[in-house]
Every structure is written in C-alpha cells, then in structure tokens.
Amino acid sequence: MAIRLSACSSSSATFIAPSSFCHETETILKRKNFGIWVCQNNSNFHENKRFELKASNVQPLKAVSLQAGAPANSLATERVVNPVQEHYIPFLETVKEESTLSIVVVGASGDLARRKIFPALFALFNEDRLPENFTIFGYARSIMTDEELRNMISKTLTCRVDKRENCNEKMDAFLKRCFYQSGQYSSEEHFLELNNKLKGKEAGRLSNRLFYLAIPPNMFVDVARCAKHRASSENGWTRVIVEKPFGRDTESSRELTRGLKQYLSEDQIFRIDHHLGEELVENLLVLRFSNLVFQPLWSRNYIRNVQLIFSEDFGTEGRGRYFDNYGIIRDIMQNHLLQILALFAMDTPVSLDAEDIRNEKVKVLRSVKPVQLEDVVIGQYKGDCDGNTSYPSYTDDMTVSNNSLTPTFAAATLFINNAQWDGVPFLMIAGKALHSKRTEIRVQFRHVPGNLYNHKSGTDLDNATNELVIRIQPDEAIYLKINNKVPGLGMRLDRSELNLLYKARYPREISDAYERLLIDAIEGERRLFIRSDELDAAWQVLTPLLKELEEKKVAPELYTYGSGGPVGVHYLAAQHNIRWGDFGYED
Amino acid sequence: MATLYSTHCRSYSPLTQSSSSSSYSSYCSSSSSSSKLGHVAVSSSAPKRFLAAKLSVLSQSQNVARMQDGAVATAVTPIENDYPFKKLKGGLLSVPSTDECKDAVGFDINENESTVSITVVGASGDLAKKKIFPALFALYYEGCLPKHFTVYGYARSKMTDAELRTMVSQTLTCRIDKRENCGEKMEQFLERCFYHSGQYDSQENFAELDKKLKEHEGGKVSNRLFYLSVPPNVFIDAVRCASLSASAGNGWTRVIVEKPFGRDSESSAALTKGLKQYLDEDQIFRIDHYLGKELVENLSVLRFSNLIFEPLWSRQYIRNVQFIFSEDFGTEGRGGYFDNYGIIRDIMQNHLLQILALFAMETPVTLDAEDIRNEKVKVLRSMRPLELENMVIGQYKSHTKGGVTYPAYTDDKTVPKDSLTPTFAAAALFIDNARWDGVPFLMKAGKALHNKKAEIRVQFRHVPGNLYNRNIGTDLDRATNELVIRVQPDEAIYLKINNKVPGLGMKLDRSNLNLHYAARYSKEIPDAYERLLLDAIEGERRLFIRSDELDAAWSLFTPVLKELEEKRIIPEYYPYGSRGPVGAHYLAARYKVRWGDVSVEQ
C-alpha cells in the first residue's frame, strides 16, 4: 500500500485529493487492489462497462509502475479478479477530470488510418465511449498542418444511421481534438517534439497514451523504441497497437516480438487481428458456453468437419505490392482463420478473463498438427472476360511481379491432435477474386446413425446432415440446417433452417471491428488481442508449409477471376470425405 | 410371372379373385360367428392389392417390382398375416415418388376396377359439415382420391341428395393457391355426393345403403370406408349394421371412429370389445385429429433425421417438457357433450398424451405403423399413473372486460348449474424409464383462456459452470435453451439460444433460431382431417390409435378421474380470458419448472 500511495502522490499535487479519495473507497468497498490508478484511469465510458472479470481500471498498481518503468513481464500481476460494477461509477465520475487519454496514430496519412482508425475513433466519440479528456495525434512523415489533417480525416467520417442528429456538430467537436505532428518514424527527436505537444494537451494531468502503429512492420521496432524512450507516459499507461503482418514465419515473427519486447512489456503490446473484433466472432464464445444445446455436440463424436471460409470478391486491384510479399496464407489463414479456429475448438476457459481465454487458445494452437504440403491447395486468379467487363489476372497488377507465384487462394485441412478433435478435419479456405464476399464458419455434423429416414434423403446423405452456419459477413446470421417434413400430405423431407438473421432481429448497425478493438485497447481488455506465445504457436503451424512452398516453387493452380476457386479444392475436400459447404450444392 | 403381374395389376387376377371370392362366399353363407374370419380375409388382402398396384405402376418396367407383385399375389390368401403387409408398406414408403399424394395415380390404372365408397354416418352433424366433407373435397381437388369414389351421407333426418349437396356446398372452400376451376371442381365433387337416410341401428336401412352403394360400384372391386361421425353410444350399433349389411363384397371395409373412446378404462375396454365383435383391429381407425397436424407429423422427422437433437433427447439434457393446449373460447352453448367428459378426457388423455408418446418414444425399428405404435405403447406403459396431487383442475367463471361480459362455464344452458367438470387441467407426468426418469412432463389444457395455442416446449438444463452466469442475472431459468414446436397457430419451430447483443458491450440476449412455416412454405398446410382420411383410404395406420395404446392411455388417467369424481374435487375458478388458475404455477413450481408460455418475453 505504501508503494501505491507514493506512486499516487509522486505523480502530481492534484492527486492528493483523489488519492485520499481512493483510499476511502478502498476501505468502503473492501477491495484489495483498488489503488489510485483505478481512479485515474476511469471515466464516463465505463458506464458501458463490459462484463469481464478483469478490466483496465482494476489493474494493480504494480503493473502500472512497471509500465512506467522498465518493461517487465507482468503476466502474473495481470490476474486481477475485480469485477467492475455499475455502482462504482459515481465515485469515478468525480475524478474523470484528472486523467487524459492521448491516441497517437503513427502513420496517419496511410490508408488504414484514414479508412478505419479515424472513423472508428469518431464512432466511439459519437457514442460517448471515449474518456472526457482525449486528444488524437496524427503522426507521419509528410508535412501537414492540423487543419490539413482534419480536412483529410473529415472526408472519411460518417455518422451511423441511427445517430444522425448533431452529426456535424459532433464531427466538428471531434476534429477539434485532432492534431498532427510530422516526423520520422525512427527519430527520437521527433518523438520528443510529439511528447512536448502531448504534454501541452495533457496539461499536467495523469496521462495515458495509446500508440496505433499504422505503418509497415519494418518500422515497428523503431517506433516502439522512440515512443518508449521519448514519448511514453510518465504517470499513466503506454500501450502500443500493432497490426499484421507480424513477421513472415516463425523466425521473423520471433525476431519482431523480441524487438518489441526490448522496449515494451507483453501487456503493453496489443496485436490486433481485426477479425476477432467482429460481432459473430465475439458471439462464438457466447454461443458455445452459454447454450447447453451445443455443448454435447461440440466434439469429434458429433462433428464431422468444420469449415472456415473467407472469400473476397475482388483482387489486389493495383495494391498488390504488400500482398505479393506475403500471400493469402500469411495474410488471412495464419491469423484470421487460425484465430477463429482456436476460438472454435478451445476448451472451456477457467474464466472469461483475457489470460484464461488466451491460455486455452494457445493450447489448441499448439495441438494443431503443422500443415503438410499435401493437405494444401493453392491458387492464383487469372483474368476473365465477362461480357464487356474484363477482369485482370493477379499478375496484371502493376505492383505485382509478372512471374509471381504468390497464392491468392489457399485451402488447407488442419487437424487438432487432442482428445476432443482427433480426426476431425478443419477445412480452411481463403481467397481473393472469388465469386462472393463472405466469411463464415460451417460446422457439419455427422450422419444420423441408422437413420430411419435415409430413403427419403436421396442418395446424397451429405445433403441430409445437420449443419450449423455462423456467417460473419455479409449479413451476420446464425443458422442451423435441420431436416424437416415438407408440409403436405406426403412425406418429403426438406432441409430448412433454424435461422437468426441479425439484420432482422437487431436493426441497429453493428459496430465496426476496429471500434471494439480500440475501446478494448483503451480499457486494457486484452481478450481480443494476440499474445506473443499465441502468435508463435500460430506461426509454427504454417511455417514449414510456407517454406516448402517457397523452396519448391510450387506453382499455384490458376482459377478464373470471380469463380469458385481452383477445382483442386474439391479433391482436397474429397480426400476427407467432405463437400465444401460453400461451393457445393447451395447457391 | 408376367401374366401374374399384368392380371394382378389391371384388376383382380383370376387367382386372387377366386381366393377372395371363395372367402367371401364362405362369409356370405356362414353364420355370423364365422363372419369375422371372412372379414379378416377381405380386409387384409385388399390393402395389399392396393399397394401392389401402386408399386407396379411406379416401376412397371422393373423386375424388382414384379417380384414384389409376385410376392403380393402369393400373399393374398385368406389368412391373417401381418408380416408381408408390413414389409410391403415399408416398400411403399421407400418408393421416392409416393411422397406427394399424386402417387394416388396408382388408382388410375385400375380406374375401371376398383371403387371407394366413403359413407359419412351422421352426415347432418357438425363435424361432418365442418370437417369431413371439406376435407374430402380438398383431397378430391388435390387429386388424392381414387378415380372412382362415391361419398354417401347417412343420417336419420330425411333429406334428398340435392339437399345434402346444398348443405355440403356451404362449407366447401378452395385453398387460396388453388382458386382456379374451384367452382367447377366443386360441382364435380358434389355430383359424387349422395344421401341415404336411415336409423343407426337398423340393419335394414344399412342394407338399403348397401344396395345403393353397389349400384355406384357397378360390379367393380368395392372398398368401403365408414366415417362414424355419431355419438359414441351408437358406435357399436352402427358398426354392427355396417359390418353385417353394408360391408364391401370384395374389397376392404374400414371404419373411422372419433373420440370419445369411452370415459375410463372400463368403458373404453367395453367399447373396444364391442367394436371387435364386428371388426378386426386393422379395420378400426381411431382418429385423433391432433396426430394429423403438420408439426406433430414433423416431430418424428425432427427427432430421427437430425443428429443434433439426438444427444439432447434425454434426461441428461432435458429439464422438463411442456405440452400446452389452450383455447380462447368456452363451450359457448354446446357444453352438453363436454360436461359429461371434461377437459382431461377431451384433450389430455388423447391429444396431449399422444404427442407425449411421440415425443418420448424410443427409435422405432422402422417407420411402419406397427413399429411406431409399439414404441408409443411402451412409453405409455412406462408412465406412472397420474396422481391427484400432481393435478390441478379449474373451471372458468364469468368475467367482464371493457363492457363485455364473458359467461361462466355454468352459465352455459347445456351445463348443469352445479357442474364440477374441469374446463382447465394441468398435470405433471413422469416416465419411469432409463431415458426419462425424473424429467417432469407437464401438460396444460384449458378452455376460455387468453389465447389459442398448441405447442410443445422443451426446456433444457442449465449450462453447468456457465461462464456467462453473471451476465444473465438472477433468473437462470430464463437463460436455458428451449426448443419450441408450435403446432398452432402459425406453425413454427424455434430454438431459443443465448447470444450476444451486437455492440461494444457484452449483453446477452435470448433470441430464436427460427423456422416459421408461413415464411418458408407458402403452400397452405393441409388440414389434419385431410391427411387422416387419406391415410385411412390408403390403409396407413401410423396416425391412428391402436386398441392397446388406447388402453394404456386410459389406465394412466382413469384412477385420477375416478378420484376427482368420487371426492367431488372442486375446480379452481379462473376468469374467462385469463391465463388459467394460478394453481398451475404452484404445480409447476413443485417440480422446479416454469411454464414457458407465460414467461416474461411473451
């Protein structure tokens, strides 16, 4: 406690009052870890407090001091069991004046920043999810004034349909909080300038700083170094969000992690996989663990195969430079699909705590058999002429080398060698320039043993198995395909759906994945971010395959732009007696 | 083989004709004691012929079918033998295109040879007018009736054919999706309708009917279906007369009877015994029209053709099952019949118990009628007879709402003022077998309630060690999964699941995985009577109640019914249009159950 108090008072004189206040609440609430930091970090956005056991505002002070000081692994200290309840808010409101949040978007002039990050920040602001005192700084190499940044941003900001009122007003209020600082990504000096500006905005209050690295990965470590040395928060937390690619294989990924960890501790690194922020991915755990009806089904006893499908209906469209270096396996499979697989297949966690969930995910990922070359089909799209429109082939892209072998399509069967999933093929398919845009999880159940109605199902029994489909996009939906009788005097079976279409039930717009992830990072909720050991385990599944593909220069099977992908997929599926739910009999 | 096939297919082959006519002649010349034997022969051979004809039509060029025909031809012997019949029915079911009733083209091939005469005994009654004739017409419209059919109304009132037609025509309607030619079709149908007046206990009158029927049959193979739409006290008389004076000469004779099948075990057994004097078991078609409802039919499909329900269907995952039947009207001046029976006999002992049996039965060996009914009997016999303490009864009382006064049950002129007959009942039943031990099966049936509804609700257990309990709040019961099969109105199946409310927070919501029939199947769902009549014509017994089933059902309810009457238990009164007596909630609470139909979200 002594340490806490000293930390409390050391920050600034203004903290004396809150500190005593905190102390009071602590005794009142009989909470063990309720330190000064709790108060500082809180603000009105906690009204919409999540349910998780661990939330940012109950972090132990120890972690804070570590963050402010030398980076250290504070995994152990992360485990705090202090649910935040609504009734704390009145106390917390009183101190919200005292803490500030600065969000620095590094690489502000880039595409990701403009298209996703600023709009997401604005949406959070519009929903009153950001703390009272927040500042947004754009940081990039180009010379720009604050005004120019605001102009740039304002073009991409939109208001949700149901939040139209005062939209412009809100937008103006938001833009006034946005500033710009130009500088090199590797210059500590420039970051110092940024630090000074930030301090100016923070005006001596407790400062929390979030750096969003919307820049190429080769600069991650430089920025982490500069930010750490020159611009990290002195009395609050400093967190860094990084987005894929996290390396190209196990080694480069480890290298990157090591680089980041020189300057940042594990709990300061927020590795984003924006697909994990999508509504139905979030819902997957709720579906699995709060519904009894799915529980007995969730194993090799009843599940025949699981299909994870990600398809886009467009190609690289002139922006293939980055992609060509990575390919679809690294771009989609290694992160998005593998993450979804882990969430799908993991054991019940001890709690919904980020660390507990990530522990289970790591276990699954470590049980996944590394993918073999024969379990994979890769493809690359070729041009197509459809009436008057002609679609380019991948290698027509100016930014792609003409003899590129980079796969734009990949299908793989994965196996999890544990008691729950042994022998169940997990099929992953990911591709660009396919006939539809969709992300979904399809769970195909086994045949009914000794089915009395087999002779009604025709010859293709696969058609008659149950299937659970979780469609992540477009048109979020969950449906369960069941067999039922066609109404009428005869006895004809039909596969119909027990259906939950989100659009129909929840007319509200579903928030963008980035919003959720940003608010989570601000609140210190790590559940949807990828831990280093998770990342490592994920790479180990695919690295041998990636190396082999490159060494052997395996040529991708060409498929037509806008088609269902290379036919090799069907043969891959057939090896395991599966039919792709996606490109099969339906639609 | 070929000759056998063709002769058999086209008409009664010489072989079968001789065998059956000999049995017929023996029947004719013998005394009434041997008449039963003759009946057996006729009735068991006829459906075989029927089915065989269908099979052969569907696959004329296939040797397999001929083989089947051959098998049929040899099987047509005047011996009661269920087995080949069953096997054949299995065969029938397995022919893919027999699904829609269009397979009734099977009739076409012997269009010149066989006839079906449907005699509605009690033609002037309410049921006949409202249900039977319209159902027959719908079948006719859909092309499900054989080419040669005749409909005869039979009742005591004097009426001409034309008068019957006028009466019938008032209740006929065409389905919405079948408007074209409706008037024309109606005319054609009415031309096939005739009337014969007579007493229900007069063999003489039935002999007259027989003569008329014979005229219409014109010497062809005659199949006769009697629909006894008469009070149960004249069942046996009518059956005797029909059997002795008007049964089919060379085809089958079947009798459809509708509830009530007695008032208790004894009277039901007496009725069965009476019927069996004149009819064989497979001539008796006891209708429970609830079994003809689309979603009740679908129940077996759901259970046995979907893997996902299979592991869930036991005490391990199911917390309780609720069968709910409610009507939003009272007896409305027609309580005379009802008062003598009460809601338990009227709804629970038959409709709800039948649904329960279908719900809880083990997987049958095949989808054959006998196999299914065997399983149903097993469930019924595993059940604990209902005890008084597991029962709540109620009677509706008058209620004034918004200036409108709704009458009490005893305000009904046809009901005695001091009647204790329950118009509402709730009961907790238990099946003492390995699958269902300890799972409460709750039933609730009532008149004059706030809505009209029939549904099955399956409440699953709590998620053990639920990670999300804190998000659910204090009422964990609300968060369990629930499968609802709504039989009426608005047929639907839905599974209540917990999911996350979209948005940045983590709020759980119960939403439905939904299959709403009206949305998916635009076609009108056929009335239960249509299906049942067609099944009776085709000899499909799956949806009819066998004598031993009926017996098992009565033995569950008879003790408590007697006790209620002996002790003159006074029903709990509930206002007309309410949700029923609160006692139902306490009954449910005793077994830690909450009625699903009155929970918060409704």
Side-chain angles (χ1 to χ4, degrees):
Chain A
M1 199 62 224
I3 302 163
R4 268 177 233 172
L5 284 170
S6 72
C8 210
S9 54
S10 72
S11 47
S12 110
T14 52
F15 282 113
I16 291 164
S19 99
S20 60
F21 169 73
C22 285
H23 194 60
E24 230 175 82
T25 56
E26 182 186 317
T27 41
I28 292 165
L29 300 170
K30 300 211 190 317
R31 303 200 140 267
K32 278 183 183 151
N33 286 314
F34 204 91
I36 179 70
W37 201 81
V38 178
C39 310
Q40 292 159 356
N41 192 26
N42 258 292
S43 45
N44 59 346
F45 59 77
H46 286 127
E47 272 165 15
N48 299 310
K49 199 53 224 155
R50 291 173 183 233
F51 69 99
E52 290 88 11
L53 294 181
K54 190 186 70 59
S56 60
N57 51 352
V58 286
Q59 276 191 326
L61 191 77
K62 197 177 164 200
V64 179
S65 58
L66 277 170
Q67 279 177 332
N73 188 350
S74 56
L75 266 189
T77 57
E78 287 271 308
R79 290 174 197 276
V80 183
V81 190
N82 264 343
V84 175
Q85 306 281 335
E86 311 278 324
H87 58 267
Y88 296 131
I89 289 162
F91 296 93
L92 303 171
E93 291 284 333
T94 58
V95 288
K96 71 185 171 198
E97 299 296 327
E98 311 307 334
S99 93
T100 62
L101 170 67
S102 307
I103 301 162
V104 182
V105 182
V106 182
S109 52
D111 204 51
L112 176 71
R114 266 185 303 161
R115 281 205 341 227
K116 291 288 185 185
I117 304 172
F118 288 114
L121 285 170
F122 173 62
L124 289 174
F125 174 72
N126 204 358
E127 301 215 344
D128 294 323
R129 302 299 297 265
L130 291 181
E132 177 95 2
N133 292 316
F134 77 95
T135 318
I136 294 172
F137 257 90
Y139 185 98
R141 285 177 297 202
S142 22
I143 309 288
M144 239 196 290
T145 63
D146 292 348
E147 220 32 64
E148 279 166 336
L149 176 84
R150 286 171 194 169
N151 266 339
M152 186 190 84
I153 295 173
S154 66
K155 285 177 202 147
T156 55
L157 300 190
T158 50
C159 288
R160 296 241 174 84
V161 181
D162 54 338
K163 297 255 178 180
R164 279 266 178 257
E165 357 131 19
N166 306 329
C167 183
N168 287 328
E169 211 174 287
K170 280 270 193 179
M171 228 179 252
D172 287 338
F174 175 77
L175 289 172
K176 271 188 206 143
R177 309 279 196 100
C178 296
F179 304 92
Y180 184 74
Q181 163 74 37
S182 90
Q184 294 299 314
Y185 296 132
S186 56
S187 155
E188 295 199 7
E189 207 172 308
H190 293 160
F191 271 89
L192 192 62
E193 285 168 28
L194 174 72
N195 189 40
N196 289 338
K197 282 198 185 174
L198 287 175
K199 276 203 172 140
K201 305 285 173 208
E202 286 158 7
R205 285 170 293 203
L206 174 82
S207 75
N208 295 314
R209 293 184 183 171
L210 179 65
F211 289 86
Y212 198 121
L213 306 197
I215 48 172
N218 54 350
M219 291 177 284
F220 280 177
V221 179
D222 280 339
V223 173
R225 174 173 49 80
C226 301
K228 159 77 186 134
H229 289 159
R230 299 294 169 203
S232 60
S233 160
E234 281 163 23
N235 46 11
W237 47 256
T238 304
R239 292 175 190 152
V240 177
I241 298 180
V242 287
E243 193 144 5
K244 67 168 187 186
F246 311 124
R248 301 190 79 248
D249 50 29
T250 308
E251 291 73 30
S252 55
S253 160
R254 280 183 186 160
E255 183 64 38
L256 179 64
T257 300
R258 201 160 39 236
L260 289 174
K261 286 226 183 157
Q262 278 182 339
Y263 309 105
L264 302 169
S265 69
E266 176 72 37
D267 64 359
Q268 288 183 289
I269 305 171
F270 285 71
R271 283 188 199 83
I272 253 183
D273 182 333
H274 65 264
H275 279 281
L276 293 188
E278 266 157 2
E279 188 57 42
L280 285 201
V281 178
E282 274 271 85
N283 201 4
L284 185 57
L285 294 191
V286 178
L287 272 189
R288 283 193 58 193
F289 299 124
S290 77
N291 291 295
L292 187 77
V293 289
F294 295 124
Q295 190 243 306
L297 301 171
W298 223 260
S299 77
R300 63 199 296 274
N301 289 340
Y302 291 100
I303 291 180
R304 195 156 46 105
N305 67 71
V306 181
Q307 305 177 9
L308 306 164
I309 297 160
F310 178 98
S311 77
E312 283 178 341
D313 55 358
F314 49 88
T316 50
E317 323 288 332
R319 296 205 310 228
R321 182 167 294 131
Y322 155 74
F323 183 84
D324 196 51
N325 190 25
Y326 287 90
I328 197 88
I329 298 176
R330 292 187 178 91
D331 198 41
I332 304 294
M333 275 194 176
Q334 184 272 337
N335 36 57
H336 303 330
L337 294 187
L338 217 45
Q339 285 291 321
I340 293 175
L341 179 143
L343 284 172
F344 180 92
M346 73 180 193
D347 267 335
T348 315
V350 177
S351 78
L352 293 172
D353 223 41
E355 296 316 318
D356 289 327
I357 291 177
R358 297 198 287 186
N359 285 344
E360 294 304 329
K361 277 166 68 190
V362 171
K363 273 166 60 186
V364 172
L365 290 172
R366 290 182 51 207
S367 307
V368 176
K369 218 166 66 181
V371 181
Q372 307 294 309
L373 190 58
E374 62 263 27
D375 289 331
V376 173
V377 169
I378 57 170
Q380 191 184 79
Y381 65 89
K382 60 181 182 190
D384 184 30
C385 238
D386 171 23
N388 348 347
T389 346
S390 78
Y391 298 96
S393 76
Y394 175 64
T395 48
D396 289 347
D397 193 318
M398 301 306 255
T399 56
V400 167
S401 70
N402 274 340
N403 53 4
S404 171
L405 293 179
T406 305
T408 61
F409 177 100
T413 45
L414 282 80
F415 291 90
I416 302 175
N417 282 337
N418 65 18
Q420 199 175 357
W421 297 111
D422 189 15
V424 179
F426 285 77
L427 300 122
M428 282 185 180
I429 187 171
K432 285 179 177 293
L434 294 173
H435 68 321
S436 62
K437 175 178 165 65
R438 72 164 59 164
T439 311
E440 61 187 21
I441 308 170
R442 302 184 85 97
V443 187
Q444 296 193 333
F445 292 95
R446 290 191 185 279
H447 299 277
V448 176
N451 191 345
L452 290 170
Y453 291 89
N454 262 355
H455 54 279
K456 305 269 171 206
S457 312
T459 45
D460 189 0
L461 290 184
D462 281 359
N463 266 352
T465 59
N466 295 124
E467 195 170 352
L468 175 70
V469 181
I470 299 170
R471 192 166 63 215
I472 297 165
Q473 64 178 15
D475 287 340
E476 288 87 346
I478 302 167
Y479 55 95
L480 186 59
K481 287 185 178 256
I482 56 162
N483 295 299
N484 71 317
K485 184 181 157 301
V486 178
L489 296 171
M491 172 59 81
R492 242 174 55 210
L493 297 202
D494 182 23
R495 292 191 82 193
S496 58
E497 287 154 15
L498 291 178
N499 204 343
L500 170 61
L501 183 63
Y502 268 53
K503 222 167 37 186
R505 183 168 170 97
Y506 303 105
R508 225 168 64 125
E509 254 174 281
I510 292 175
S511 44
D512 188 76
Y514 279 94
E515 288 172 43
R516 182 192 315 284
L517 293 166
L518 274 165
I519 196 76
D520 278 354
I522 292 167
E523 296 185 359
E525 165 56 55
R526 290 164 178 81
R527 189 165 40 102
L528 299 177
F529 297 92
I530 300 162
R531 213 164 62 184
S532 301
D533 53 348
E534 254 186 285
L535 180 65
D536 197 54
W539 272 118
Q540 286 185 32
V541 173
L542 289 166
T543 295
L545 168 78
L546 288 164
K547 290 209 165 134
E548 202 174 344
L549 282 174
E550 269 152 38
E551 274 159 24
K552 295 189 176 167
K553 292 203 166 297
V554 177
E557 194 178 330
L558 297 181
Y559 62 97
T560 321
Y561 194 114
S563 70
V567 287
V569 178
H570 297 289
Y571 293 93
L572 178 71
Q575 275 177 27
H576 303 289
N577 292 324
I578 298 165
R579 254 186 110 110
W580 286 109
D582 186 25
F583 302 117
Y585 41 87
E586 302 160 60
D587 54 44
Chain B
M1 192 67 213
T3 41
L4 192 66
Y5 155 67
S6 58
T7 52
H8 178 74
C9 180
R10 198 162 302 143
S11 76
Y12 248 39
S13 71
L15 172 67
T16 43
Q17 192 147 38
S18 61
S19 68
S20 80
S21 61
S22 68
S23 74
Y24 177 58
S25 61
S26 75
Y27 155 60
C28 283
S29 58
S30 66
S31 65
S32 68
S33 66
S34 71
S35 75
K36 197 182 159 194
L37 177 68
H39 256 290
V40 170
V42 169
S43 60
S44 65
S45 67
K48 281 172 202 157
R49 193 201 50 70
F50 235 68
L51 296 161
K54 274 201 222 175
L55 278 170
S56 57
V57 167
L58 288 159
S59 46
Q60 272 182 353
S61 59
Q62 287 172 23
N63 275 326
V64 188
R66 288 183 201 174
M67 285 304 291
Q68 277 176 321
D69 268 347
V72 170
T74 54
V76 178
T77 48
I79 301 161
E80 185 172 25
N81 183 357
D82 264 351
Y83 181 68
F85 181 43
K86 253 193 265 181
K87 200 169 117 194
L88 259 177
K89 279 215 294 189
L92 173 68
L93 286 167
S94 72
V95 178
S97 56
T98 56
D99 288 346
E100 276 303 347
C101 71
K102 297 291 179 204
D103 64 88
V105 282
F107 292 109
D108 290 348
I109 203 74
N110 39 346
E111 58 187 53
N112 301 314
E113 315 306 337
S114 97
T115 61
V116 173
S117 307
I118 300 158
T119 307
V120 182
V121 182
S124 52
D126 210 46
L127 177 72
K129 267 190 287 185
K130 281 203 330 221
K131 290 289 184 185
I132 305 171
F133 286 113
L136 285 169
F137 172 62
L139 287 174
Y140 172 70
Y141 198 122
E142 302 254 334
C144 293
L145 290 182
K147 184 98 176 170
H148 288 283
F149 77 94
T150 315
V151 177
Y152 253 92
Y154 185 101
R156 284 177 298 201
S157 19
K158 297 272 175 237
M159 235 195 289
T160 63
D161 291 348
E163 279 166 338
L164 175 86
R165 286 170 193 169
T166 317
M167 186 192 83
V168 170
S169 68
Q170 279 155 12
T171 55
L172 297 191
T173 50
C174 287
R175 297 229 178 97
I176 296 161
D177 55 340
K178 300 260 180 177
R179 281 268 179 256
E180 359 127 20
N181 307 328
C182 184
E184 206 177 294
K185 282 271 190 182
M186 230 180 249
E187 289 298 312
Q188 289 167 3
F189 175 75
L190 289 172
E191 271 166 31
R192 308 279 197 101
C193 294
F194 305 91
Y195 184 75
H196 183 78
S197 105
Q199 296 299 312
Y200 297 132
D201 55 357
S202 156
Q203 288 200 36
E204 211 172 303
N205 293 151
F206 272 90
E208 290 161 18
L209 174 71
D210 183 52
K211 236 178 252 166
K212 285 195 183 175
L213 288 176
K214 275 200 176 129
E215 270 169 44
H216 287 286
E217 286 157 4
K220 285 169 281 202
V221 178
S222 74
N223 297 310
R224 292 185 182 172
L225 179 65
F226 290 89
Y227 199 121
L228 301 196
S229 167
V230 288
N233 55 346
V234 289
F235 275 179
I236 295 176
D237 281 337
V239 162
R240 176 174 48 83
C241 300
S243 169
L244 297 180
S245 306
S247 59
N250 46 9
W252 47 255
T253 303
R254 294 175 189 151
V255 177
I256 297 180
V257 287
E258 192 143 5
K259 69 170 187 188
F261 311 124
R263 299 190 78 248
D264 49 32
S265 292
E266 292 75 26
S267 56
S268 164
L271 179 63
T272 301
K273 206 170 134 215
L275 292 175
K276 287 224 180 161
Q277 275 185 339
Y278 306 103
L279 298 173
D280 193 65
E281 175 73 37
D282 65 0
Q283 289 184 288
I284 305 171
F285 285 71
R286 282 187 199 84
I287 248 181
D288 183 330
H289 66 264
Y290 250 74
L291 294 186
K293 297 244 180 216
E294 188 56 43
L295 284 203
V296 177
E297 271 271 80
N298 200 9
L299 185 57
S300 298
V301 177
L302 271 189
R303 283 192 59 193
F304 301 124
S305 77
N306 291 296
L307 185 78
I308 49 167
F309 295 125
E310 189 256 309
L312 301 171
W313 222 258
S314 74
R315 60 197 298 272
Q316 199 176 352
Y317 292 101
I318 291 180
R319 196 156 46 106
N320 66 72
V321 186
Q322 304 174 9
F323 301 91
I324 295 163
F325 174 97
S326 69
E327 283 179 340
D328 54 0
F329 49 86
T331 51
E332 323 290 330
R334 296 204 312 225
Y337 156 73
F338 183 84
D339 194 59
N340 191 25
Y341 288 90
I343 197 88
I344 301 171
R345 292 186 178 92
D346 199 40
I347 305 292
M348 276 193 174
Q349 181 271 338
N350 36 54
H351 302 330
L352 295 188
L353 196 60
Q354 285 293 321
I355 296 176
L356 182 146
L358 281 173
F359 179 93
M361 72 181 185
E362 299 293 320
T363 314
V365 178
T366 71
L367 294 173
D368 221 48
E370 296 315 316
D371 289 327
I372 290 179
R373 297 197 286 186
N374 285 343
E375 294 303 330
K376 277 166 66 191
V377 171
K378 274 166 59 186
V379 171
L380 293 175
R381 290 185 49 212
S382 308
M383 287 175 74
R384 225 181 283 163
L386 188 56
E387 281 160 29
L388 192 57
E389 56 172 21
N390 284 336
M391 178 123 228
V392 169
I393 58 170
Q395 192 184 81
Y396 65 88
K397 61 183 182 189
S398 146
H399 180 56
T400 305
K401 196 168 71 182
V404 190
T405 301
Y406 298 93
Y409 175 65
T410 48
D411 290 344
D412 193 317
K413 292 275 186 282
T414 56
V415 168
K417 283 276 161 274
D418 58 348
S419 171
L420 295 179
T421 304
T423 61
F424 176 98
L429 292 119
F430 293 88
I431 304 174
D432 289 333
N433 66 15
R435 188 189 282 263
W436 296 113
D437 190 11
V439 178
F441 285 78
L442 268 70
M443 280 183 183
K444 188 161 82 164
K447 283 178 178 294
L449 294 174
H450 71 303
N451 63 9
K452 178 175 164 65
K453 186 185 260 185
E455 62 183 20
I456 308 169
R457 302 186 87 97
V458 187
Q459 295 190 337
F460 292 94
R461 292 191 182 278
H462 299 276
V463 176
N466 193 344
L467 291 169
Y468 291 89
N469 267 353
R470 61 167 56 242
N471 298 87
I472 289 162
T474 46
D475 189 2
L476 291 184
D477 279 358
R478 280 201 59 209
T480 61
N481 294 125
E482 194 170 353
L483 177 70
V484 181
I485 299 170
R486 194 164 62 213
V487 180
Q488 68 179 29
D490 287 341
E491 288 86 348
I493 301 167
Y494 55 94
L495 181 62
K496 284 181 182 269
I497 56 161
N498 294 300
N499 70 317
K500 185 180 155 300
V501 178
L504 296 174
M506 174 57 81
K507 240 171 65 197
L508 294 203
D509 183 21
R510 294 192 79 190
S511 54
N512 298 340
L513 289 178
N514 205 342
L515 171 61
H516 190 220
Y517 269 53
R520 184 171 170 95
Y521 300 106
S522 55
K523 220 173 78 151
E524 246 176 289
I525 294 175
D527 188 77
Y529 279 93
E530 287 173 43
R531 183 192 316 283
L532 292 166
L533 274 165
L534 184 65
D535 279 353
I537 292 168
E538 295 191 346
E540 167 59 59
R541 290 166 177 81
R542 193 161 37 100
L543 301 178
F544 297 91
I545 300 161
R546 213 164 59 184
S547 300
D548 54 346
E549 258 187 283
L550 181 65
D551 200 46
W554 272 119
S555 60
L556 289 177
F557 280 92
T558 297
V560 78
L561 284 166
K562 288 210 167 130
E563 203 173 341
L564 281 173
E565 270 153 35
E566 274 160 22
K567 295 189 177 165
R568 293 191 61 75
I569 305 281
I570 293 171
E572 195 177 327
Y573 294 98
Y574 60 96
Y576 194 114
S578 71
R579 290 175 185 276
V582 289
H585 294 291
Y586 290 93
L587 175 68
R590 188 187 309 157
Y591 296 103
K592 299 195 167 64
V593 177
R594 219 185 156 102
W595 290 105
D597 61 329
V598 287
S599 60
V600 189
E601 73 253 48
Q602 294 276 326

